[in-house]
Amino acid sequence: MNPQAMKNSKITKWLFDNVIYVFLILLVIGIVIASPDFLSVTNLINILSQSSSRIIIALGIAGILITAGTDLSAGRMVGLAAVVSASLLQAGDYAYKMYPNLPELPLFVPIIIAMLITGLFGTLNGVIVSKFHVPPFIATLGMMIGVYGVTSIYFDRPPYGAQPIGGLSESFTKFAQRGIPIGDYEIPFLIFYAIIFSIIIWILWNKTQLGKNMYAIGGNPEAAKVSGVNVAKNIIIIYMIAGLLYGFSGTIEAGRVGSATNNTGNMYELDAIAACVVGGVSLSGGIGTVSGVITGVLIFQIINYGLAFLGVSPYIQFIVKGAIIIVTVAFDMRKHAKKK
């Protein structure tokens, strides 16, 4: 093969491997040409802030995807955590408190309670998948429906019934809505939460035995088992960690919005799965990075924010996102098939 042909082949392969990033660059260029104000510090902060809770959710789902699993219950667990934490963190003088006689609790107590609840459901997912050998799609689909039922029962309680849980305490809203002043701008705490959890997950994936086992299970579960990996135990732990992440994300979603309902978090899992795939996490298992997950979430948030910034119809935005997901998965499957 002559040098020019080799060069063209390398360029083609690079474009093939990075098609989604090329598309993103072109899209951002198009948005900036249409509206130069898009590239402002304020918009960048807004995009990062809105991405923060989604990054935490996606990191939880990504670990499961790397084991060749999936989790359709993530969004409903986010909703459960949001409802539980909001109900326990209402201001003392709010007229419609779910628990009228409950004093204002320290901020960390309801957050830990919400995380433990969703961590328990995550663990249950892992047990069903690893011990009872139920396909992850079916196991987590059933859990999604069940958790929504639990959330709705909790939410639709007397004396006030199914109304949004609002009147959140000042400490809670500050935790999720305020930030650190830097110059003329305020960097939201949400961004720092996402950074902290990203570092923790990076360490778990890259510096611990659990992370090595996770990739081994996703690459070849039988080979991992033969090499001494306790596959069931590791899968349960990975689902449990995902549940804990959903729980924290749900609490900051409630605080960010200022209220919670039983529909908080609806469909978040699909956005997270799509972001993971766009960020290079293979649906076939064994492949994925923290940086890729973060990139995938930011790509979708930039698309959402950019198209909304231009006044594009939400229906058109759904079409664009759907096309991106299909194209990305198609390229992912082709790359996986070639490696085989």
Side-chain angles (χ1 to χ4, degrees):
M1 185 181 291
N2 63 61
Q4 185 60 41
M6 289 179 64
K7 183 178 179 181
N8 291 339
S9 176
K10 288 181 179 179
I11 293 173
T12 302
K13 183 180 183 303
W14 185 89
L15 289 172
F16 180 85
D17 291 340
N18 298 277
V19 61
I20 191 63
Y21 303 108
V22 174
F23 172 80
L24 174 64
I25 292 170
L26 294 175
L27 179 64
V28 170
I29 290 173
I31 293 172
V32 171
I33 291 173
S35 181
D37 294 338
F38 180 71
L39 286 181
S40 68
V41 175
T42 300
N43 282 343
L44 176 61
I45 292 173
N46 287 338
I47 289 170
L48 292 174
S49 178
Q50 292 172 16
S51 300
S52 298
S53 64
R54 304 301 181 97
I55 287 173
I56 297 171
I57 299 168
L59 288 171
I61 287 184
I64 295 170
L65 292 176
I66 290 172
T67 65
T70 193
D71 191 353
L72 299 181
S73 64
R76 291 307 184 186
M77 288 196 209
V78 169
L80 176 59
V83 167
V84 169
S85 59
S87 69
L88 298 176
L89 282 167
Q90 291 178 292
D93 58 352
Y94 184 59
Y96 302 102
K97 286 188 69 174
M98 182 175 281
Y99 300 104
N101 298 320
L102 182 71
E104 287 195 29
L105 298 172
L107 180 62
F108 69 92
V109 174
I111 293 175
I112 291 175
I113 291 172
M115 291 179 69
L116 289 176
I117 292 171
T118 53
L120 179 62
F121 279 111
T123 303
L124 186 57
N125 268 337
V127 170
I128 294 170
V129 170
S130 63
K131 295 293 188 180
F132 295 96
H133 306 292
V134 177
F137 181 90
I138 300 300
T140 59
L141 175 63
M143 189 62 70
M144 174 183 74
I145 298 168
V147 170
Y148 180 60
V150 171
T151 305
S152 298
I153 291 170
Y154 184 85
F155 175 69
D156 189 15
R157 293 175 62 194
Y160 303 114
Q163 65 175 358
I165 302 173
L168 305 183
S169 67
E170 186 178 357
S171 63
F172 190 28
T173 53
K174 282 183 177 179
F175 178 75
Q177 295 177 8
R178 300 295 294 275
I180 299 174
I182 298 179
D184 296 330
Y185 303 97
E186 185 175 80
I187 309 301
F189 292 135
L190 293 174
I191 296 175
F192 295 102
Y193 304 150
I195 291 172
I196 291 169
F197 276 99
S198 296
I199 293 171
I200 292 171
I201 296 301
W202 184 89
I203 293 171
L204 282 175
W205 287 9
N206 296 280
K207 300 298 180 180
T208 69
Q209 191 60 48
L210 175 65
K212 294 176 182 177
N213 292 345
M214 178 183 73
Y215 285 103
I217 292 168
N220 190 327
E222 293 304 319
K225 189 179 297 184
V226 169
S227 65
V229 175
N230 188 330
V231 174
K233 177 183 175 182
N234 282 272
I235 287 176
I236 291 170
I237 293 173
I238 290 164
Y239 274 93
M240 179 193 70
I241 291 171
L244 293 172
L245 293 175
Y246 306 153
F248 184 81
S249 181
T251 62
I252 62 175
E253 272 294 286
R256 183 180 70 85
V257 176
S259 65
T261 73
N262 61 331
N263 280 316
T264 299
N266 186 31
M267 304 294 284
Y268 279 20
E269 69 280 350
L270 297 185
D271 281 348
I273 292 171
C276 287
V277 176
V278 167
V281 179
S282 176
L283 293 177
S284 301
I287 299 172
T289 63
V290 169
S291 60
V293 173
I294 294 171
T295 301
V297 173
L298 291 177
I299 284 173
F300 269 99
Q301 199 57 52
I302 289 170
I303 291 170
N304 288 338
Y305 197 91
L307 294 179
F309 191 80
L310 294 179
V312 176
S313 164
Y315 307 126
I316 301 296
Q317 294 179 39
F318 282 127
I319 294 171
V320 172
K321 287 170 66 176
I324 290 172
I325 293 168
I326 292 170
V327 170
T328 304
V329 172
F331 274 88
D332 174 70
M333 297 308 290
R334 283 192 63 185
K335 283 189 286 186
H336 183 72
K338 281 188 175 183
K339 287 178 181 178
K340 281 188 172 182

Coordinates of all heavy atoms in Angstrom, one line a residue, residues 216-289:
A216 N -13.2 -7.4 33.6 CA -13.0 -8.8 33.2 C -14.4 -9.5 33.0 O -14.5 -10.2 32.0 CB -12.2 -9.5 34.3
I217 N -15.3 -9.2 33.9 CA -16.7 -9.8 33.7 C -17.3 -9.3 32.4 O -17.9 -10.1 31.7 CB -17.5 -9.4 34.9 CG1 -17.0 -10.0 36.2 CG2 -19.0 -9.7 34.7 CD1 -17.6 -9.5 37.5
G218 N -17.2 -8.0 32.1 CA -17.8 -7.5 30.9 C -17.1 -8.1 29.6 O -17.8 -8.3 28.6
G219 N -15.8 -8.3 29.7 CA -15.1 -8.8 28.6 C -15.4 -10.3 28.3 O -15.6 -10.7 27.2
N220 N -15.4 -11.1 29.4 CA -15.6 -12.6 29.2 C -16.0 -13.1 30.6 O -15.0 -13.4 31.4 CB -14.4 -13.3 28.6 CG -14.8 -14.7 28.2 OD1 -15.6 -15.4 28.9 ND2 -14.1 -15.2 27.2
P221 N -17.2 -13.2 31.0 CA -17.6 -13.7 32.3 C -17.1 -15.1 32.7 O -16.7 -15.3 33.8 CB -19.1 -13.6 32.4 CG -19.5 -13.6 30.9 CD -18.4 -12.9 30.2
E222 N -17.1 -15.9 31.7 CA -16.6 -17.3 32.0 C -15.2 -17.3 32.3 O -14.7 -18.0 33.2 CB -17.0 -18.2 30.8 CG -18.5 -18.4 30.5 CD -19.1 -19.0 31.8 OE1 -18.6 -19.9 32.4 OE2 -20.3 -18.5 32.1
A223 N -14.4 -16.6 31.5 CA -12.9 -16.5 31.7 C -12.7 -15.9 33.1 O -11.7 -16.3 33.8 CB -12.3 -15.7 30.6
A224 N -13.5 -14.8 33.4 CA -13.3 -14.2 34.7 C -13.6 -15.2 35.9 O -12.8 -15.2 36.9 CB -14.2 -13.0 34.9
K225 N -14.6 -16.0 35.7 CA -14.9 -17.0 36.7 C -13.8 -18.0 36.9 O -13.4 -18.4 38.0 CB -16.3 -17.7 36.4 CG -16.8 -18.6 37.4 CD -18.2 -19.2 37.0 CE -19.2 -18.1 36.8 NZ -20.5 -18.8 36.4
V226 N -13.3 -18.5 35.7 CA -12.2 -19.5 35.8 C -11.0 -18.9 36.5 O -10.2 -19.6 37.1 CB -11.9 -19.9 34.3 CG1 -10.6 -20.8 34.3 CG2 -13.0 -20.7 33.8
S227 N -10.7 -17.6 36.3 CA -9.5 -17.0 36.9 C -9.7 -16.6 38.4 O -8.8 -16.0 39.0 CB -9.2 -15.7 36.1 OG -10.2 -14.7 36.2
G228 N -10.9 -17.0 38.9 CA -11.1 -16.8 40.4 C -11.9 -15.7 40.8 O -12.0 -15.4 42.0
V229 N -12.5 -14.9 39.8 CA -13.3 -13.8 40.1 C -14.7 -14.3 40.6 O -15.3 -15.1 39.9 CB -13.5 -12.9 38.9 CG1 -14.5 -11.7 39.2 CG2 -12.1 -12.3 38.5
N230 N -15.2 -13.8 41.7 CA -16.5 -14.0 42.2 C -17.5 -13.1 41.4 O -17.8 -12.0 41.8 CB -16.6 -13.8 43.7 CG -18.0 -14.3 44.3 OD1 -19.0 -14.3 43.6 ND2 -17.9 -14.7 45.5
V231 N -18.0 -13.7 40.3 CA -18.8 -12.8 39.4 C -20.0 -12.3 40.1 O -20.3 -11.1 40.0 CB -19.1 -13.7 38.1 CG1 -20.1 -12.9 37.2 CG2 -17.9 -14.0 37.4
A232 N -20.8 -13.2 40.7 CA -22.0 -12.7 41.4 C -21.8 -11.6 42.4 O -22.5 -10.6 42.4 CB -22.7 -13.9 42.0
K233 N -20.8 -11.8 43.2 CA -20.5 -10.8 44.3 C -20.2 -9.4 43.7 O -20.6 -8.4 44.1 CB -19.4 -11.3 45.2 CG -18.9 -10.3 46.2 CD -17.7 -10.8 47.0 CE -17.2 -9.8 48.0 NZ -16.0 -10.3 48.7
N234 N -19.3 -9.5 42.6 CA -18.9 -8.2 42.0 C -20.1 -7.5 41.3 O -20.2 -6.3 41.4 CB -17.7 -8.5 41.0 CG -16.4 -8.6 41.7 OD1 -15.7 -7.7 42.0 ND2 -16.1 -9.9 42.0
I235 N -20.9 -8.3 40.6 CA -22.1 -7.7 40.0 C -23.0 -7.0 41.0 O -23.5 -5.9 40.8 CB -22.8 -8.7 39.1 CG1 -22.0 -9.1 37.9 CG2 -24.2 -8.2 38.7 CD1 -22.6 -10.2 37.1
I236 N -23.2 -7.7 42.1 CA -24.1 -7.1 43.2 C -23.5 -5.8 43.7 O -24.2 -4.8 43.9 CB -24.2 -8.1 44.3 CG1 -25.1 -9.3 43.9 CG2 -24.9 -7.5 45.5 CD1 -25.1 -10.5 44.9
I237 N -22.2 -5.8 43.9 CA -21.5 -4.6 44.4 C -21.7 -3.4 43.4 O -22.0 -2.3 43.8 CB -20.1 -4.8 44.7 CG1 -19.9 -5.8 45.9 CG2 -19.3 -3.5 45.0 CD1 -18.5 -6.2 46.2
I238 N -21.5 -3.7 42.1 CA -21.6 -2.7 41.1 C -23.0 -2.1 41.0 O -23.2 -0.9 40.9 CB -21.1 -3.3 39.7 CG1 -19.6 -3.5 39.8 CG2 -21.5 -2.4 38.6 CD1 -19.1 -4.5 38.7
Y239 N -24.0 -3.0 41.1 CA -25.4 -2.5 41.1 C -25.7 -1.7 42.3 O -26.4 -0.7 42.3 CB -26.4 -3.7 41.0 CG -26.7 -4.1 39.5 CD1 -25.9 -5.1 38.9 CD2 -27.7 -3.5 38.8 CE1 -26.2 -5.6 37.6 CE2 -28.0 -3.9 37.5 CZ -27.2 -4.9 36.9 OH -27.5 -5.3 35.6
M240 N -25.1 -2.1 43.5 CA -25.3 -1.4 44.7 C -24.7 0.0 44.6 O -25.3 1.0 45.0 CB -24.7 -2.1 45.9 CG -24.8 -1.4 47.2 SD -23.7 -2.1 48.5 CE -22.1 -1.5 47.9
I241 N -23.5 0.1 44.1 CA -22.9 1.4 43.9 C -23.7 2.3 43.0 O -23.9 3.5 43.3 CB -21.4 1.3 43.3 CG1 -20.5 0.6 44.4 CG2 -20.9 2.6 42.9 CD1 -19.2 0.2 43.8
A242 N -24.2 1.7 41.9 CA -25.1 2.5 41.0 C -26.3 3.0 41.8 O -26.7 4.2 41.6 CB -25.5 1.6 39.9
G243 N -26.9 2.2 42.6 CA -28.1 2.6 43.4 C -27.7 3.8 44.3 O -28.5 4.8 44.5
L244 N -26.6 3.7 45.0 CA -26.1 4.8 45.8 C -26.0 6.1 45.0 O -26.3 7.2 45.5 CB -24.8 4.5 46.5 CG -24.9 3.3 47.5 CD1 -23.4 2.9 48.0 CD2 -25.7 3.7 48.7
L245 N -25.4 6.0 43.8 CA -25.2 7.2 43.0 C -26.6 7.8 42.6 O -26.7 9.0 42.6 CB -24.4 6.8 41.8 CG -22.9 6.5 42.0 CD1 -22.2 6.0 40.7 CD2 -22.2 7.7 42.6
Y246 N -27.5 6.9 42.2 CA -28.9 7.4 41.9 C -29.5 8.2 43.1 O -30.2 9.2 42.9 CB -29.8 6.2 41.5 CG -29.3 5.3 40.4 CD1 -29.7 4.0 40.4 CD2 -28.4 5.7 39.4 CE1 -29.3 3.1 39.4 CE2 -28.0 4.9 38.5 CZ -28.4 3.5 38.5 OH -28.0 2.7 37.5
G247 N -29.2 7.6 44.3 CA -29.8 8.3 45.5 C -29.3 9.7 45.7 O -30.1 10.6 45.9
F248 N -28.0 9.9 45.5 CA -27.4 11.2 45.7 C -27.9 12.1 44.6 O -28.3 13.3 44.8 CB -25.9 11.2 45.7 CG -25.3 12.5 46.0 CD1 -25.2 13.0 47.3 CD2 -24.9 13.3 45.0 CE1 -24.7 14.2 47.6 CE2 -24.3 14.6 45.2 CZ -24.2 15.1 46.5
S249 N -28.0 11.6 43.4 CA -28.4 12.4 42.2 C -29.9 12.9 42.4 O -30.2 14.0 42.1 CB -28.3 11.6 40.9 OG -28.7 12.4 39.8
G250 N -30.7 12.0 43.0 CA -32.1 12.3 43.2 C -32.2 13.4 44.3 O -33.1 14.3 44.1
T251 N -31.4 13.4 45.3 CA -31.5 14.5 46.3 C -31.1 15.8 45.7 O -31.8 16.8 46.0 CB -30.6 14.1 47.5 OG1 -29.2 14.1 47.1 CG2 -31.0 12.8 48.2
I252 N -30.1 15.9 44.9 CA -29.7 17.2 44.4 C -30.6 17.6 43.3 O -30.8 18.8 43.1 CB -28.2 17.2 43.9 CG1 -28.0 16.2 42.7 CG2 -27.2 16.9 45.0 CD1 -26.6 16.3 42.1
E253 N -31.3 16.7 42.6 CA -32.3 17.1 41.7 C -33.5 17.8 42.4 O -34.0 18.8 41.9 CB -32.8 15.9 40.9 CG -32.0 15.5 39.6 CD -32.2 16.6 38.6 OE1 -33.2 16.7 37.9 OE2 -31.2 17.4 38.4
A254 N -33.9 17.2 43.5 CA -35.0 17.8 44.3 C -34.6 19.2 44.7 O -35.4 20.1 44.7 CB -35.3 16.9 45.5
G255 N -33.4 19.3 45.2 CA -32.9 20.6 45.7 C -32.7 21.6 44.6 O -33.0 22.8 44.8
R256 N -32.3 21.1 43.5 CA -32.1 22.0 42.3 C -33.4 22.6 41.8 O -33.5 23.8 41.5 CB -31.3 21.3 41.2 CG -31.0 22.1 40.0 CD -30.3 21.3 38.9 NE -31.2 20.4 38.3 CZ -32.0 20.7 37.3 NH1 -32.0 21.9 36.8 NH2 -32.8 19.7 36.7
V257 N -34.4 21.7 41.7 CA -35.7 22.1 41.1 C -36.5 22.9 42.2 O -37.3 23.8 41.9 CB -36.5 20.9 40.6 CG1 -37.9 21.3 40.2 CG2 -35.7 20.3 39.5
G258 N -36.3 22.5 43.5 CA -37.0 23.1 44.6 C -38.3 22.4 45.0 O -39.0 22.8 45.9
S259 N -38.5 21.2 44.4 CA -39.6 20.4 44.7 C -39.4 19.0 44.1 O -38.4 18.7 43.4 CB -40.9 21.0 44.2 OG -40.9 21.0 42.8
A260 N -40.3 18.1 44.5 CA -40.2 16.7 43.9 C -41.6 16.1 43.8 O -42.5 16.4 44.6 CB -39.4 15.8 44.8
T261 N -41.8 15.3 42.8 CA -43.0 14.5 42.6 C -42.6 13.1 42.3 O -41.5 12.7 42.1 CB -43.9 15.1 41.4 OG1 -43.3 14.7 40.2 CG2 -44.0 16.6 41.5
N262 N -43.6 12.2 42.1 CA -43.4 10.8 41.8 C -42.9 10.7 40.4 O -42.4 9.6 40.0 CB -44.6 9.9 42.1 CG -45.8 10.3 41.2 OD1 -45.9 11.5 40.8 ND2 -46.6 9.4 40.9
N263 N -42.9 11.7 39.6 CA -42.4 11.6 38.2 C -41.0 12.3 38.0 O -40.5 12.3 36.9 CB -43.4 12.3 37.2 CG -44.6 11.4 36.9 OD1 -44.4 10.2 36.6 ND2 -45.8 11.9 36.9
T264 N -40.5 12.7 39.1 CA -39.1 13.2 39.0 C -38.2 12.1 38.6 O -38.3 10.9 39.1 CB -38.6 13.7 40.4 OG1 -39.5 14.8 40.8 CG2 -37.2 14.2 40.4
G265 N -37.3 12.4 37.7 CA -36.3 11.3 37.2 C -36.9 10.5 36.1 O -36.1 9.6 35.6
N266 N -38.1 10.7 35.6 CA -38.7 9.9 34.6 C -37.9 9.9 33.3 O -37.5 11.0 32.8 CB -40.1 10.3 34.3 CG -40.8 9.4 33.3 OD1 -40.6 8.2 33.2 ND2 -41.7 10.0 32.5
M267 N -37.5 8.8 32.8 CA -36.7 8.6 31.5 C -35.2 9.1 31.7 O -34.5 9.1 30.7 CB -37.3 9.4 30.4 CG -38.8 9.1 30.1 SD -39.0 7.4 29.5 CE -38.4 7.6 27.8
Y268 N -34.8 9.4 32.9 CA -33.4 9.8 33.0 C -32.4 8.6 32.6 O -31.3 8.8 32.2 CB -33.1 10.2 34.5 CG -33.5 11.6 34.8 CD1 -34.4 12.3 34.1 CD2 -32.9 12.2 35.9 CE1 -34.8 13.6 34.4 CE2 -33.3 13.5 36.3 CZ -34.2 14.2 35.5 OH -34.6 15.5 35.9
E269 N -32.9 7.4 32.9 CA -32.0 6.3 32.6 C -31.7 6.1 31.1 O -30.6 5.7 30.7 CB -32.6 5.0 33.1 CG -33.9 4.5 32.4 CD -35.2 5.2 32.8 OE1 -35.1 6.0 33.8 OE2 -36.2 5.0 32.1
L270 N -32.7 6.5 30.2 CA -32.5 6.4 28.8 C -31.4 7.4 28.3 O -30.6 7.1 27.5 CB -33.8 6.5 28.0 CG -34.8 5.5 28.3 CD1 -36.0 5.6 27.4 CD2 -34.3 4.1 28.1
D271 N -31.6 8.6 28.9 CA -30.6 9.7 28.5 C -29.2 9.2 29.0 O -28.2 9.4 28.3 CB -30.9 11.0 29.2 CG -32.0 11.7 28.4 OD1 -32.3 11.3 27.3 OD2 -32.6 12.7 29.0
A272 N -29.1 8.6 30.2 CA -27.8 8.2 30.8 C -27.2 7.1 29.9 O -26.0 7.1 29.7 CB -28.0 7.8 32.2
I273 N -28.0 6.1 29.6 CA -27.5 5.0 28.7 C -27.0 5.5 27.4 O -25.9 5.1 26.9 CB -28.6 3.9 28.6 CG1 -28.9 3.2 29.9 CG2 -28.2 2.9 27.5 CD1 -30.1 2.3 29.8
A274 N -27.8 6.4 26.8 CA -27.4 7.0 25.5 C -26.1 7.8 25.6 O -25.2 7.7 24.8 CB -28.5 7.9 25.0
A275 N -26.0 8.5 26.7 CA -24.8 9.3 26.9 C -23.6 8.4 27.1 O -22.5 8.7 26.6 CB -24.9 10.2 28.2
C276 N -23.8 7.3 27.8 CA -22.7 6.3 28.0 C -22.2 5.8 26.7 O -21.0 5.7 26.4 CB -23.1 5.2 28.9 SG -23.3 5.7 30.7
V277 N -23.1 5.4 25.9 CA -22.8 4.8 24.6 C -22.1 5.8 23.7 O -21.1 5.5 23.0 CB -24.0 4.2 23.9 CG1 -23.7 3.7 22.5 CG2 -24.6 3.1 24.7
V278 N -22.6 7.0 23.7 CA -22.0 8.1 22.9 C -20.6 8.4 23.4 O -19.7 8.7 22.6 CB -22.8 9.4 23.0 CG1 -22.1 10.6 22.5 CG2 -24.1 9.2 22.2
G279 N -20.4 8.2 24.7 CA -19.1 8.4 25.3 C -18.1 7.2 25.2 O -17.1 7.3 25.9
G280 N -18.5 6.2 24.5 CA -17.6 5.1 24.2 C -17.8 3.9 25.1 O -17.0 2.9 25.0
V281 N -18.8 3.8 25.9 CA -19.1 2.6 26.7 C -19.8 1.6 25.8 O -20.8 1.9 25.3 CB -20.0 2.9 28.0 CG1 -20.2 1.7 28.7 CG2 -19.3 4.0 28.9
S282 N -19.2 0.4 25.7 CA -19.8 -0.5 24.7 C -20.9 -1.3 25.4 O -20.8 -1.8 26.5 CB -18.7 -1.5 24.3 OG -19.2 -2.5 23.5
L283 N -22.0 -1.4 24.6 CA -23.1 -2.2 25.1 C -22.8 -3.7 25.2 O -23.5 -4.5 25.8 CB -24.3 -2.0 24.2 CG -25.0 -0.6 24.1 CD1 -26.1 -0.6 23.1 CD2 -25.5 -0.2 25.5
S284 N -21.7 -4.1 24.5 CA -21.3 -5.5 24.6 C -20.5 -5.8 25.8 O -20.1 -6.9 26.1 CB -20.4 -5.8 23.3 OG -21.2 -5.6 22.2
G285 N -20.1 -4.8 26.6 CA -19.4 -4.9 27.9 C -17.9 -4.9 27.7 O -17.3 -5.0 26.6
G286 N -17.2 -4.6 28.8 CA -15.8 -4.6 28.9 C -15.1 -3.4 28.5 O -13.8 -3.3 28.6
I287 N -15.8 -2.4 28.0 CA -15.2 -1.1 27.5 C -15.9 0.1 28.0 O -17.1 0.1 28.0 CB -15.2 -1.1 25.9 CG1 -14.4 -2.3 25.4 CG2 -14.6 0.2 25.4 CD1 -14.5 -2.4 23.8
G288 N -15.1 1.0 28.5 CA -15.7 2.3 29.0 C -14.7 3.0 29.9 O -13.9 2.4 30.6
T289 N -14.8 4.3 29.9 CA -14.0 5.2 30.8 C -14.8 6.3 31.4 O -15.9 6.7 30.9 CB -12.8 5.8 30.0 OG1 -13.4 6.7 29.0 CG2 -12.0 4.8 29.3

